[in-house]
């Protein structure tokens, strides 16, 4: 990918993260934001909203780091197992382990708190459904064998990026766990679906650059021969 296209890719992902976090924050913490509006504290409302946007920017950077780390891990996996089919089976096993870990260890669900259990099951369903749709679109738009890899990235890598919030034990953590999931999902879905487009644009830019270099070389050759 060329520098120009990488910059576009980076800032588009940044904007998606900021926008989704702001919307998720308004919905999940509507009581807090509505109290500010009701009290006429407009600047405090704007400041709190901008803080949510900045948080989204941070989550976007985390997601982009995770994406490029995954590209390296994926290549290592294919090289180690010497077969894409075998690597896909390994990825499916890791997906199952990660989902098991989320349900039985990270979410810390109890039968006493039905509301919290329903919240976390909804978050799990959101993770799986968005990941499945993204993986389906990836396979449809590119190649069928990318289905498992895209599903692995969306579930496993997103969970790893989400893990620091899940590990916190104090404060109003359920609110932040909810808010932080959605920018990670949105940015990761954008990255894995948009990357081929930016790679194609980079190939076109490189071809144009090579053509211009060749034209300049020919021009210099003609000028030297006169």
């Amino acid at each position: 990918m060329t520098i120009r296209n990488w910059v576009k890719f980076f800032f588009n992902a940044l904007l998606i993260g900021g926008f989704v976090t702001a919307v998720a924050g308004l919905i999940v913490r509507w009581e807090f934001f509505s109290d500010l509006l009701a009290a006429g504290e407009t600047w405090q409302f704007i400041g709190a909203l901008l803080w949510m946007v900045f948080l989204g920017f941070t989550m976007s950077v985390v997601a982009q780091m995770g994406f490029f780390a995954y590209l390296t891990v994926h290549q290592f996996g294919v090289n180690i197992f010497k077969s894409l089919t075998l690597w896909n089976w390994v990825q499916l096993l890791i997906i199952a382990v990660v989902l098991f870990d989320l349900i039985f260890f990270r979410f810390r669900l109890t039968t006493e708190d039905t509301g919290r259990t329903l919240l976390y099951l909804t978050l799990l369903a959101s993770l799986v459904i968005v990941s499945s749709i993204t993986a389906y679109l990836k396979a449809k738009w590119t190649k069928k064998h990318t289905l498992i890899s895209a599903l692995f990235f969306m579930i496993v890598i997103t969970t790893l990026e989400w893990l620091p919030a899940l590990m916190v034990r104090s404060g109003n953590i359920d609110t932040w766990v909810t808010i932080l999931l959605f920018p990670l999902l949105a940015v990761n879905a954008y990255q894995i679906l948009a990357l081929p487009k930016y790679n194609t644009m980079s190939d076109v830019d490189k071809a144009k650059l090579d053509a211009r270099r060749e034209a300049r070389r020919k021009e210099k050759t003609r000028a030297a021969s006169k």
Side-chain angles (χ1 to χ4, degrees):
M1 187 184 299
T2 60
I3 296 298
R4 184 177 69 173
N5 285 312
W6 178 81
V7 170
K8 290 179 182 178
F9 185 78
F10 173 82
F11 279 104
N12 284 339
L14 205 67
L15 292 174
I16 290 171
F19 174 77
V20 172
T21 305
V23 172
L26 281 172
I27 295 172
V28 175
R29 304 193 68 202
W30 176 244
E31 184 177 353
F32 168 76
F33 282 103
S34 62
D35 287 345
L36 292 178
L37 288 176
E41 298 177 348
T42 306
W43 287 110
Q44 287 83 347
F45 174 87
I46 294 173
L49 188 61
L50 289 176
W51 188 86
M52 297 299 297
V53 172
F54 177 77
L55 179 63
F57 290 164
T58 304
M59 290 300 101
S60 176
V61 172
V62 170
Q64 292 186 64
M65 291 171 62
F67 180 59
F68 287 104
Y70 166 72
L71 295 177
T72 303
V73 170
H74 177 69
Q75 193 58 50
F76 275 132
V78 174
N79 292 336
I80 290 172
F81 292 100
K82 306 297 183 182
S83 167
L84 182 59
T85 301
L86 181 57
W87 171 231
N88 281 341
W89 280 108
V90 172
Q91 290 182 101
L92 285 173
L93 177 62
I94 296 174
I95 290 171
V97 170
V98 167
L99 292 177
F100 178 87
D101 178 74
L102 275 178
I103 296 170
F104 291 98
F105 298 104
R106 304 303 170 187
F107 287 172
R108 306 185 302 279
L109 303 179
T110 61
T111 56
E112 290 79 14
D113 193 343
T114 306
R116 186 175 182 277
T117 299
L118 182 60
L119 169 64
Y120 277 84
L121 290 179
T122 301
L123 294 178
L124 178 65
S126 300
L127 173 65
V128 173
I129 291 171
V130 172
S131 299
S132 300
I133 293 173
T134 302
Y136 169 77
L137 292 175
K138 178 69 174 180
K140 183 178 180 181
W141 294 347
T142 54
K143 299 177 182 178
K144 290 183 179 179
H145 66 75
T146 61
L147 178 68
I148 303 301
S149 297
L151 192 64
F152 176 89
F153 168 71
M154 288 299 300
I155 292 179
V156 176
I157 303 301
T158 299
T159 299
L160 289 175
E161 295 162 353
W162 194 29
L163 198 57
L166 291 170
M167 294 176 67
V168 176
R169 296 289 189 271
S170 60
N172 191 18
I173 189 56
D174 293 343
T175 296
W176 295 109
V177 165
T178 302
I179 292 173
L180 295 181
L181 172 62
F182 294 100
L184 292 174
L185 282 174
V187 174
N188 282 338
Y190 166 77
Q191 290 183 114
I192 201 165
L193 293 177
L195 182 63
K197 170 189 171 183
Y198 284 93
N199 285 336
T200 301
M201 290 168 58
S202 296
D203 290 339
V204 172
D205 289 344
K206 289 175 183 177
K208 290 180 179 178
L209 179 60
D210 290 341
R212 288 196 296 268
R213 286 175 175 172
E214 181 64 19
R216 286 197 296 267
R217 187 188 65 80
K218 290 181 178 179
E219 183 65 26
K220 289 180 180 179
T221 301
R222 285 195 297 267
S225 62
K226 292 181 179 179

